[in-house]
Amino acid sequence: MILSGGRLVLIIGIFFLFISCDRQKVKESGEVTTPEQQFTEIKANLLEKIWRLNPEWATSVGYHKYDNVLVIPTPERLKGEVASYRSMLQDLHQINRTALPLDNQTDYQMLESFFNGRIWYATVLKPGEWNPAEYNIGGGVAEILNGRYDSLTNRLRSISLKIEQVVPYYEAAKNNIKEPTLEHTQLAILQNKGALTVLEEVADSVKIARLKPFEKDFLRSRIATAKIEVNSYIDFLQQEKLPLLRKKQGRSFRIGKELFAQKFKYDIQSGYTAEQVYQKALQHKEYLHRQMLAITQKLWPIYFPDKPLPSGLPGVKQLLGKLAEQHVRRDSFLIAIKAQIPQLVKFVNTKKLLTQDPSKPLVVRPTPEYMRGIAGASISAPGPYDKNADTYYNVTPLTHYSAAEAESYLREYNKYQLQILNIHEAIPGHYTQLIYANKSPSLIKAVLGNGAMVEGWAVYAERMMLEQGYGNNAPEMWLTWYKWNLRVTLNAILDYSVHVLGMTEKEVLALLVNEGFQEEAEAREKWKRATLSQVQLSSYFTGYTEIYDLREEIRKKQKDKFNLKQFHEKFLSYGSAPVRYIRALMLQK
């Protein structure tokens, strides 16, 4: 097409106008705004749109504007979400990222990756079609019920409006499930049974709330309807789906190499690929075995004075088995965890490893039933909008285990390993890191948490505590930590091996028991977890490796000026951003 001179001049003029607007923008009022000011405004708008699309996530981070909303997961709604994320990407791309300071460039990249990831989940991975555990009202209702941000009466009003939509919610869930996996179907049944207990708790709360009589009647009616719908969904899974799945007429839980690599890219956001992490984990496993063999040679005469040391790994396994005899009683597991928390607080303060905030309580509790079925211990932390709420340390009771299973589990979490678990989950691990994340000047870095950074910090904290003398440098403690770190390493190995290389349950158990020195009960739980998650098991090793390498790089660079406390507090000040971004921020000149 040939352009007239006038139109050509106009287009050239518009082109140069866009270039000049890269660095500043003129508002209608005549006020000039910088790219940084524009980005600050866009970030606030994008976050509001994110919370509107994800009301339960918003509740979990303390943003309660949409507490009463239950998203009905229809295909039309899913298409609308994809369109919204694409529109948000366009809004983001109005800003020239390179014109922003490095800290804001990181926020930009995190938002961009988040939007692309959500689009990929919805259009490629499509978990809503094969994972029935995606549908459960229990978590969202419990989050509101257990909150402390408003009166019980007002929180129950939000719950009442939320569960009003429970019938179309579970109807859409049933329609969405095309080809479920057996493993995720079983998980959905277990966790939705837990949702029934949440509804019972809501019903009990109605009795003491200051609701008007008609409000109580409405809520009780809606609770009754919700119970019917949850039970209907459970029956649907048990009667219509499970019989077919047990005949192998369903989808495999393995997602394959291509999807695994893509999910790793969006979830982990590492400088390494999934395959590179797998190879690094294989090498690290050999390193850990060498360290454990050396300590075993030192400790063997103390624990087995009249017995020759077997060659190779069997000797390590026997020694670990001897140490595992030192464990708490089955009915004291939760009590022992509570008792260790003050000890960890004192050690961190004495060694001046980082500044702690005593005003933020940590509540150790039994894992709520709607959360059970994946991890034995976890942290439920408030978000940056609700910083003063309690953080919960969830510990799954051992009541569902037989005597033999409980003994196996307790041997795994023996006197030494239980302390490492508490460092990981609580202080200075997840609990401490998430308290710092809530204080981050960037909301983006606080709410768009990177799993590899979060888990990596917890694993790093274990090693750092032992390096600083926790446990009096006892070789037994170090041997146990090497075993624990070996578990993190094997997590990455089996994650990739199961989903990409087709590793069987028998092979997984052999790897974890013989080379990871795990108790059989723990190994079986890990196999189960590998069938229910993808990529998440790789996050621990990936994040830990990147954090430790960063610390050593900075230590080498600063030499005598290196201060461990300063490193920790600066690192944690960047919220839960991917480690590769934190690295760039900490090394910037």
Side-chain angles (χ1 to χ4, degrees):
M1 181 175 65
I2 299 174
L3 297 176
S4 66
R7 292 182 65 189
L8 181 59
V9 170
L10 176 62
I11 290 174
I12 291 173
I14 292 173
F15 173 74
F16 282 108
L17 177 61
F18 277 128
I19 292 177
S20 65
C21 284
D22 245 2
R23 297 203 169 272
Q24 62 182 28
K25 181 179 179 180
V26 181
K27 289 188 175 181
E28 291 180 3
S29 62
E31 179 186 350
V32 177
T33 60
T34 65
E36 188 171 5
Q37 291 170 326
Q38 297 167 36
F39 185 53
T40 298
E41 184 177 336
I42 284 179
K43 277 196 294 185
N45 291 335
L46 291 176
L47 275 175
E48 181 64 28
K49 291 177 181 179
I50 289 171
W51 301 142
R52 191 162 61 242
L53 287 175
N54 302 275
E56 292 193 0
W57 180 18
T59 298
S60 73
V61 298
Y63 192 78
H64 299 291
K65 183 177 178 180
Y66 304 107
D67 281 2
N68 59 9
V69 177
L70 181 64
V71 172
I72 312 303
T74 60
E76 293 74 23
R77 166 73 189 203
L78 187 61
K79 289 179 182 177
E81 287 184 3
V82 171
S84 294
Y85 287 127
R86 286 178 173 149
S87 175
M88 284 187 260
L89 266 177
Q90 291 178 352
D91 291 343
L92 181 65
H93 289 159
Q94 291 177 18
I95 303 295
N96 176 10
R97 178 174 64 82
T98 59
L100 299 172
L102 187 57
D103 192 55
N104 263 333
Q105 286 190 39
T106 301
D107 282 2
Y108 183 107
Q109 290 170 304
M110 290 180 69
L111 282 165
E112 187 175 49
S113 180
F114 170 75
F115 295 141
N116 283 324
R118 282 302 176 106
I119 294 168
W120 178 82
Y121 265 83
T123 59
V124 179
L125 189 63
K126 301 179 181 179
E129 295 184 2
W130 50 265
N131 180 6
E134 289 270 307
Y135 309 105
N136 188 341
I137 64 167
V141 171
E143 193 76 48
I144 300 170
L145 183 64
N146 295 329
R148 295 291 182 269
Y149 55 89
D150 201 349
S151 67
L152 174 63
T153 300
N154 286 337
R155 284 183 282 121
L156 287 176
R157 285 173 177 145
S158 293
I159 290 173
S160 183
L161 291 171
K162 191 179 192 74
I163 64 175
E164 184 181 17
Q165 299 298 315
V166 72
V167 174
Y169 174 85
Y170 276 112
E171 193 62 36
K174 294 173 188 175
N175 291 333
N176 288 346
I177 298 168
K178 308 299 182 187
E179 192 180 15
T181 76
L182 172 63
E183 293 77 11
H184 291 95
T185 301
Q186 292 170 328
L187 178 66
I189 292 168
L190 172 68
Q191 292 188 335
N192 272 276
K193 286 180 178 179
L196 294 172
T197 67
V198 173
L199 292 171
E200 289 291 347
E201 292 173 8
V202 175
D204 290 339
S205 298
V206 174
K207 300 173 186 176
I208 60 173
R210 295 181 178 179
L211 293 167
K212 295 176 181 179
F214 79 90
E215 290 179 309
K216 289 189 175 184
D217 290 341
F218 271 131
L219 182 48
R220 288 190 177 112
S221 174
R222 288 166 180 168
I223 291 170
T225 300
K227 288 180 180 178
I228 291 171
E229 291 304 311
V230 172
N231 277 313
S232 174
Y233 185 58
I234 293 171
D235 289 343
F236 164 76
L237 296 175
Q238 288 179 327
Q239 297 172 16
E240 294 189 31
K241 298 301 179 181
L242 275 185
L244 296 174
L245 294 171
R246 286 177 175 143
K247 296 177 183 177
K248 309 296 183 183
Q249 298 180 23
R251 172 181 174 143
S252 169
F253 66 84
R254 305 178 200 272
I255 63 172
K257 184 174 183 177
E258 183 177 355
L259 287 179
F260 190 92
Q262 293 172 0
K263 194 170 192 292
F264 186 93
K265 170 189 170 184
Y266 289 117
D267 289 3
I268 305 297
Q269 298 183 60
S270 169
Y272 302 115
T273 66
E275 188 169 359
Q276 286 172 333
V277 166
Y278 169 68
Q279 294 297 336
K280 289 177 75 70
L282 289 174
Q283 295 170 10
H284 193 61
K285 180 188 73 168
E286 299 304 319
Y287 162 79
L288 292 171
H289 281 165
R290 291 194 297 271
Q291 297 298 110
M292 297 176 81
L293 284 167
I295 294 179
T296 299
Q297 290 176 346
K298 179 179 178 180
L299 288 177
W300 188 267
I302 299 174
Y303 288 90
F304 301 100
D306 302 319
K307 190 174 181 180
L309 172 63
S311 61
L313 298 181
V316 178
K317 186 174 183 178
Q318 285 187 46
L319 179 56
L320 287 168
K322 188 69 175 177
L323 298 180
E325 295 174 3
Q326 304 177 54
H327 63 73
V328 301
R329 299 192 312 273
R330 179 176 183 164
D331 59 357
S332 301
F333 191 62
L334 197 70
I335 296 171
I337 288 177
K338 286 183 179 180
Q340 284 182 6
I341 303 303
Q343 299 170 18
L344 295 173
V345 172
K346 182 179 180 181
F347 184 87
V348 170
N349 287 338
T350 301
K351 292 289 185 176
K352 299 180 180 179
L353 301 178
L354 45 73
T355 302
Q356 300 187 86
D357 187 348
S359 69
K360 302 296 188 292
L362 175 62
V363 180
V364 182
R365 68 174 181 180
T367 305
E369 289 191 35
Y370 67 89
M371 292 174 59
R372 296 181 190 177
I374 297 180
S378 64
I379 287 288
S380 296
Y385 295 99
D386 196 15
K387 299 176 184 179
N388 295 322
D390 292 344
T391 297
Y392 293 101
Y393 185 174
N394 308 303
V395 182
T396 301
L398 307 184
T399 51
H400 65 294
Y401 283 145
S402 67
E405 289 171 337
E407 174 64 16
S408 178
Y409 190 88
L410 290 167
R411 284 174 59 85
E412 184 69 27
Y413 293 98
N414 55 63
K415 167 186 173 182
Y416 301 104
Q417 196 147 301
L418 190 58
Q419 296 178 71
I420 299 170
L421 173 69
N422 289 331
I423 292 171
H424 180 102
E425 296 292 345
I427 298 166
H430 287 321
Y431 161 73
T432 303
Q433 185 266 317
L434 293 170
I435 292 292
Y436 268 85
N438 282 347
K439 296 178 180 179
S440 170
S442 165
L443 266 177
I444 299 299
K445 292 183 176 66
V447 298
L448 299 186
N450 175 258
M453 182 276 173
V454 174
E455 295 296 352
W457 169 264
V459 177
Y460 163 80
E462 305 155 14
R463 177 170 182 171
M464 180 272 296
M465 289 281 279
L466 265 65
E467 288 175 336
Q468 295 304 307
Y470 183 84
N472 299 315
N473 276 317
E476 291 90 345
M477 182 65 83
W478 273 104
L479 181 64
T480 304
W481 180 78
Y482 281 129
K483 176 194 169 183
W484 181 273
N485 194 249
L486 182 59
R487 180 165 74 167
V488 166
T489 307
L490 292 177
N491 279 353
I493 292 173
L494 75 90
D495 195 20
Y496 191 85
S497 297
V498 166
H499 285 283
V500 176
L501 305 178
M503 181 179 271
T504 65
E505 179 179 6
K506 183 178 179 181
E507 291 169 336
V508 167
L509 295 181
L511 174 69
L512 298 182
V513 172
N514 297 330
E515 296 190 56
F517 315 110
Q518 295 181 21
E519 294 289 331
E520 185 173 340
E522 176 72 11
R524 290 192 180 279
E525 286 295 320
K526 189 56 59 69
W527 161 255
K528 179 180 177 182
R529 185 169 168 184
T531 67
L532 294 171
S533 67
Q534 320 87 27
V535 171
Q536 196 274 337
L537 283 171
S538 298
S539 62
Y540 304 84
F541 178 77
T542 308
Y544 157 71
T545 301
E546 292 183 321
I547 293 170
Y548 192 82
D549 288 350
L550 173 61
R551 189 194 76 178
E552 293 306 290
E553 182 178 352
I554 292 177
R555 184 199 295 276
K556 184 177 180 181
K557 182 179 179 181
Q558 295 180 350
K559 299 180 181 179
D560 294 341
K561 294 181 181 180
F562 178 79
N563 182 287
L564 189 60
K565 181 180 180 181
Q566 289 177 5
F567 169 80
H568 290 157
E569 295 186 346
K570 186 173 183 182
F571 181 88
L572 293 177
S573 72
Y574 296 113
S576 301
V579 180
R580 64 173 176 164
Y581 295 151
I582 296 178
R583 180 181 184 279
L585 289 165
M586 292 186 72
L587 295 177
Q588 66 179 317
K589 297 180 180 180

